[in-house]
C-alpha cells in the first residue's frame, strides 16, 4: 500500500516550508550526484568562490551586478540548481512536487490538490503547495517552490512568463494555460462537451438561453465564447452577462438581473459550478422552478454539485486524469525522457457532459 503524500504549504514571508511541530534542523551538505552540476562547478566556471555563487543564486547583497551576472550565466550554462539540502530544506531525501493553485476558497482548488496528492502518494512524492491568490507575496511563494521542489505544476495564469523565469530550471507544467505554452502544459478543453450541451438544449426545447460568464476585464472569457458560438451555430440568439469573478455571489446577482431583464429565459449556462450554485440560489429566491422553467448547467464537475437540490448538471473534468497527465509530463522532463519545452510536452484532457436534475 502506498504511503500518504505529505502536503507542505509554502510561506511567502520566509520562503521556507511550514510544517506543524517542526523544530530546528541541523544540516550538513551532502555529496552531489556525479551527473549533476555542483556549486563548485559553477564557482570554477565563473571564477568566483562558492560563497559568491550562493550570494548570486539567492539574490543576496555583497556582490557586484557584473559578478552576479557572470555567476548566473555560468549556472544557466551548466543547468545548475541549488541543492534543497544546502539551503537547509532537508525533507528526508524524498522527491518534492510543487503545486500552484489560485484560490483554496474555490472548491475546485482543493479537489485538484486532492487528486495531485493521491497520485503523488502512489509515486512516493510529497507535495508543496503555494496559493498565489491568498499569499501575501505571490512572487516569493512561487520562487520558494523553485528552490524547494523538483518539479512544479499548476495554474500560473497571466503571470506565467514571469513566474516560470523565477522558477529557473525546474520543470514546469502549466494547467489550462490561456496563452502560449512556454514549457509544458496540460490543456483542459471544454469544447466537445459544450457542443454536446448545445445539442442537448436543442433536444429538450430550450429557446432562450443565457450565459452567465466571469471575466476580470468585462469581456467574455474563452469558455463563454465557446458557449456563445455553439449556441449561435444552432440558431440561438443567446444573451450574456459577465460577472467580475466566478463566485456564487456574482452568479446569483447576474441571474437576478437576467430574470428581471429577460423574461423568457429558459436556460442558464454558468461559467463554472460555483457560479452555477449562485444561479440556483437566485432562481430559488425568485420562485423559478429548476428545471421546470429554467435549466441550469455549470462547468467542472465538482462533488458539491451532488449535494444541492436539484443536483447540478455540469461539464465535468476528470481531475485525476489532469493530475496524472501533468505529473507524467513533469517526470518525463525531469528524467530527460521528454524535452523541457515543445509540442511533445503538451497533453489535453476533455470535459464531458454530465446530466443531473438541474438540466
Amino acid at each position: 500500500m502506498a504511503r500518504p503524500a505529505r502536503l507542505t504549504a509554502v510561506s511567502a514571508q520566509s520562503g521556507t516550508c511550514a510544517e506543524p511541530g517542526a523544530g530546528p534542523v541541523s544540516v550538513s551538505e551532502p555529496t552531489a550526484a556525479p551527473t549533476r552540476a555542483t556549486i563548485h562547478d559553477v564557482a570554477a566556471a565563473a571564477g568566483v568562490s562558492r560563497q559568491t555563487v550562493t550570494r548570486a543564486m539567492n539574490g543576496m547583497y555583497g556582490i557586484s551586478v557584473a559578478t552576479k551576472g557572470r555567476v548566473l550565466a555560468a549556472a544557466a550554462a551548466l543547468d545548475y540548481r541549488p541543492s534543497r539540502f544546502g539551503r537547509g530544506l532537508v525533507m528526508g531525501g524524498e522527491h518534492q512536487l510543487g503545486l500552484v493553485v489560485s484560490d483554496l476558497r474555490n472548491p475546485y482548488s482543493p479537489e485538484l490538490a486532492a487528486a495531485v496528492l493521491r497520485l503523488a502518494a502512489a509515486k512516493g512524492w510529497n507535495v508543496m503547495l503555494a496559493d498565489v491568490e491568498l499569499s501575501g507575496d505571490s512572487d516569493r511563494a512561487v520562487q520558494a517552490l523553485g528552490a524547494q521542489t523538483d518539479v512544479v505544476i499548476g495554474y500560473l495564469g497571466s503571470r506565467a512568463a514571469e513566474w516560470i523565469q523565477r522558477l529557473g530550471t525546474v520543470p514546469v507544467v502549466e494547467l489550462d494555460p490561456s496563452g502560449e505554452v512556454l514549457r509544458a502544459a496540460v490543456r483542459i478543453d471544454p469544447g466537445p462537451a459544450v457542443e454536446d450541451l448545445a445539442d442537448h438544449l436543442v433536444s429538450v426545447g430550450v429557446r432562450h438561453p443565457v450565459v452567465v460568464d466571469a471575466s476580470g476585464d468585462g469581456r467574455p472569457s474563452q469558455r463563454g465564447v465557446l458557449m456563445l458560438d455553439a449556441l449561435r451555430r444552432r440558431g440561438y440568439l443567446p444573451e450574456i452577462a459577465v460577472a467580475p469573478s466566478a463566485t456564487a455571489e456574482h452568479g446569483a446577482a447576474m441571474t437576478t438581473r437576467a430574470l428581471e431583464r429577460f423574461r423568457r429565459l429558459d436556460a442558464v449556462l454558468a461559467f463554472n459550478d460555483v457560479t452555477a450554485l449562485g444561479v440556483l440560489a437566485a432562481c430559488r429566491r425568485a420562485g423559478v422552478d429548476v428545471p421546470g422553467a429554467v435549466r441550469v448547467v455549470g462547468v467542472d464537475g465538482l462533488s458539491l454539485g451532488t449535494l444541492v437540490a436539484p443536483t447540478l448538471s455540469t461539464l465535468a473534468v476528470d481531475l485525476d486524469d489532469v493530475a496524472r497527465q501533468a505529473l507524467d509530463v513533469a517526470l518525463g522532463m525531469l528524467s530527460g525522457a521528454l524535452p523541457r519545452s515543445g509540442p511533445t510536452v503538451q497533453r489535453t484532457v476533455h470535459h464531458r457532459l454530465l446530466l443531473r436534475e438541474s438540466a
Side-chain angles (χ1 to χ4, degrees), residues 72-256:
L72 295 180
L78 293 169
D79 198 20
Y80 167 73
R81 287 185 57 211
S83 167
R84 288 183 285 114
F85 301 95
R87 291 187 176 202
L89 298 168
V90 175
M91 305 295 286
E94 299 160 331
H95 289 297
Q96 307 297 319
L97 168 70
L99 174 62
V100 180
V101 298
S102 57
D103 190 344
L104 282 169
R105 295 170 300 184
N106 183 336
Y108 180 89
S109 292
E111 289 205 19
L112 171 66
V116 172
L117 278 166
R118 285 193 296 269
L119 184 60
K123 294 183 178 293
W125 283 59
N126 289 320
V127 177
M128 188 172 295
L129 182 145
D131 187 328
V132 294
E133 180 71 21
L134 300 180
S135 170
D137 188 337
S138 58
D139 291 339
R140 291 192 66 184
V142 170
Q143 193 160 350
L145 285 186
Q148 301 172 31
T149 64
D150 299 289
V151 296
V152 172
I153 66 175
Y155 285 86
L156 305 184
S158 61
R159 300 190 65 186
E162 178 186 353
W163 282 341
I164 286 175
Q165 184 176 16
R166 287 179 179 272
L167 288 168
T169 61
V170 181
V172 180
V173 182
E174 289 185 77
L175 298 182
D176 203 23
S178 57
E180 178 186 0
V181 176
L182 301 176
R183 289 198 185 169
V186 174
R187 296 188 180 277
I188 304 176
D189 180 14
V194 169
E195 297 294 325
D196 291 340
L197 172 59
D199 287 338
H200 172 71
L201 297 180
V202 172
S203 71
V204 296
V206 165
R207 295 181 179 276
H208 303 287
V210 172
V211 175
V212 174
D213 198 8
S215 171
D217 60 11
R219 295 179 295 181
S221 68
Q222 291 182 347
R223 187 176 294 177
V225 170
L226 284 175
M227 292 176 177
L228 292 173
D229 180 61
L231 293 170
R232 287 166 180 160
R233 283 187 281 103
R234 287 161 177 81
Y236 289 112
L237 297 175
E239 302 288 347
I240 183 169
V242 182
S245 62
T247 65
E249 292 76 14
H250 281 127
M254 290 295 172
T255 302
T256 297

Side-chain angles (χ1 to χ4, degrees), residues 340-355:
R340 292 299 178 97
S341 63
T344 60
V345 288
Q346 296 186 42
R347 307 279 178 83
T348 300
V349 176
H350 296 284
H351 292 71
R352 63 184 178 89
L353 175 60
L354 180 57
L355 290 173

